[in-house]
Amino acid sequence: GDPKVPVLYEVERTRTGKSFSVRSVKAIQHGKPIFTCQASFQLSQGSPLQHQFTMPAVPLPEELLTQEELIQKFLQNPNLAERYRKHLNKIQAEDVPIDIKPVNPPDVFCLEPQEPKQLFWVRARGYIGETDMKVHCCVAAYISDYAFLGTALLPHRQYRIKFMVSLDHSMWFHAPFRADHWMLYECESSWAGGCRGLVQGRLWRRDGVLAVTCAQEGVIRVEQKPNQSKL
């Protein structure tokens, strides 16, 4: 999409039921669809059938460094190759409206394959407050896309990425939450192949409640020749 061009949204009332309603949305620029979305809404209903996974045991966000602090730490190393220094400076210069604290940050100097799993503490920067839950859901949708597909790259760190983009992104909202409060983002990639990668994610509230489940598939193209050492 082009941020300088207005977006026309076409909304189709796909289904309106007593408990569930579905809407299909098409975003259009220059007469062509650039984005499609299907949203399902449910009236609040109680049920005795309830269960969830257990939230991973991790350090609290107050005990961890932010992504910016970690990058600064890497940049202070005089042995860091110049192209990686430029890449980190580019990341540092981005105005990302999210606070991120990696639980197990990958070693920037290591190209060894790693398990395709990541854990982050995440929250929106600034104060959103006790507003309509739909606002927090929209902010969580933005947060959930950040670094999500990169989980599929961890076993393949020896390759340089040529192109990576999301194909589809799905979210299921389970419980109320505040997007401006710390949440643990648990990400894992169960499969990659055919220039595609699949990732799943869970957003946990600090009190251990599973608030959101996510899934994403994306295109990942790499250079066939593996990278050399970063040192």
Side-chain angles (χ1 to χ4, degrees):
D2 186 346
K4 298 179 182 179
V5 177
V7 180
L8 173 65
Y9 293 96
E10 289 186 355
V11 181
E12 177 187 343
R13 297 175 180 267
T14 309
R15 181 181 185 276
T16 302
K18 293 181 179 180
S19 301
F20 292 88
S21 294
V22 179
R23 299 291 183 264
S24 298
V25 183
K26 184 185 295 184
I28 300 172
Q29 279 186 337
H30 304 295
K32 297 181 180 181
I34 61 170
F35 172 82
T36 58
C37 169
Q38 182 167 292
S40 178
F41 302 91
Q42 179 192 12
L43 290 175
S44 180
Q45 295 176 297
S47 171
L49 299 180
Q50 297 185 33
H51 76 269
Q52 65 167 48
F53 284 170
T54 301
M55 178 178 170
V58 299
L60 296 175
E62 292 77 14
E63 302 171 10
L64 299 169
L65 297 177
T66 65
Q67 179 169 274
E68 289 83 359
E69 291 169 335
L70 287 167
I71 289 176
Q72 282 292 0
K73 186 177 177 181
F74 291 139
L75 289 174
Q76 290 172 6
N77 191 312
N79 295 320
L80 183 65
E82 185 59 29
R83 66 187 182 92
Y84 291 101
R85 189 176 299 278
K86 290 181 179 179
H87 177 66
L88 291 174
N89 280 321
K90 183 179 179 182
I91 295 175
Q92 191 81 303
E94 292 177 355
D95 186 18
V96 179
I98 312 169
D99 285 325
I100 304 169
K101 291 192 174 185
V103 175
N104 298 111
D107 186 350
V108 72
F109 299 110
C110 177
L111 293 178
E112 292 299 318
Q114 296 187 11
E115 190 177 13
K117 292 185 178 182
Q118 297 193 86
L119 289 162
F120 307 93
W121 284 103
V122 293
R123 69 178 178 185
R125 287 181 174 166
Y127 177 78
I128 298 176
E130 297 287 352
T131 183
D132 191 321
M133 188 60 212
K134 291 190 287 290
V135 174
H136 288 282
C137 289
C138 289
V139 175
Y142 181 93
I143 291 174
S144 70
D145 190 49
Y146 189 82
F148 193 23
L149 193 57
T151 310
L153 300 177
L154 293 177
H156 315 286
R157 300 183 69 206
Q158 70 272 32
Y159 292 100
R160 182 180 297 184
I161 306 304
K162 291 170 54 180
F163 180 77
M164 185 170 68
V165 67
S166 170
L167 290 171
D168 51 65
H169 190 96
S170 300
M171 301 184 72
W172 296 265
F173 298 94
H174 311 308
F177 61 91
R178 286 273 299 269
D180 54 351
H181 288 180
W182 285 116
M183 292 188 291
L184 181 67
Y185 196 14
E186 180 186 10
C187 308
E188 58 186 355
S189 175
S190 57
W191 175 87
C195 293
R196 290 178 292 130
L198 179 66
V199 290
Q200 296 90 25
R202 290 181 280 273
L203 276 167
W204 300 89
R205 294 188 335 206
R206 284 187 68 147
D207 60 0
V209 171
L210 179 58
V212 186
T213 299
C214 315
Q216 185 178 94
E217 186 182 41
V219 175
I220 303 175
R221 302 189 192 280
V222 301
E223 293 182 358
Q224 294 300 315
K225 185 179 178 180
N227 282 334
Q228 301 299 316
S229 172
K230 297 184 180 182
L231 296 178

